[in-house]
Amino acid sequence: MTLVQLEYIVAVDTYRSFVHAAEKCFVTQPTLSMQIQKLEDFLNVKIFDRSKQPVIPTEIGAQIISQARIVLQENKKIKENYIFILSFILP
């Protein structure tokens, strides 16, 4: 599981479309789909119901996406704090 994969599932949830999510993530749709499939295989669950348009998360997928949003927000905090600390250390 990678942060990029989490970013991709959040994007698909946000835009309800693999195509639009891929555009917003600056990757091709097959790349985005492949990474989400790898995450689904790793977790052994289906995150999205691809049979519906717009694409919607499964029940377990919604829980995973909620956790992914938290992880990505915490990752952002780490980066921001690190940059802040470095601004005092580096000349």
Side-chain angles (χ1 to χ4, degrees), residues 47-63:
I47 297 172
F48 294 102
D49 181 349
R50 292 164 174 81
S51 69
K52 300 192 183 230
Q53 291 297 326
V55 174
I56 60 170
T58 61
E59 188 174 329
I60 189 74
Q63 294 174 19

Side-chain angles (χ1 to χ4, degrees), residues 10-73:
V10 167
V12 171
D13 183 54
T14 299
Y15 299 105
R16 299 288 194 219
S17 162
F18 281 80
V19 172
H20 290 115
E23 289 171 358
K24 297 295 183 179
C25 292
F26 304 103
V27 296
T28 63
Q29 184 271 325
T31 296
L32 181 128
S33 293
M34 179 185 65
Q35 287 302 314
I36 292 174
Q37 183 64 55
K38 283 184 178 183
L39 179 59
E40 289 177 325
D41 291 346
F42 176 77
L43 297 173
N44 198 32
V45 298
K46 286 291 178 196
I47 297 172
F48 294 102
D49 181 349
R50 292 164 174 81
S51 69
K52 300 192 183 230
Q53 291 297 326
V55 174
I56 60 170
T58 61
E59 188 174 329
I60 189 74
Q63 294 174 19
I64 292 167
I65 292 163
S66 177
Q67 287 295 305
R69 289 182 190 279
I70 293 167
V71 169
L72 293 171
Q73 184 60 38

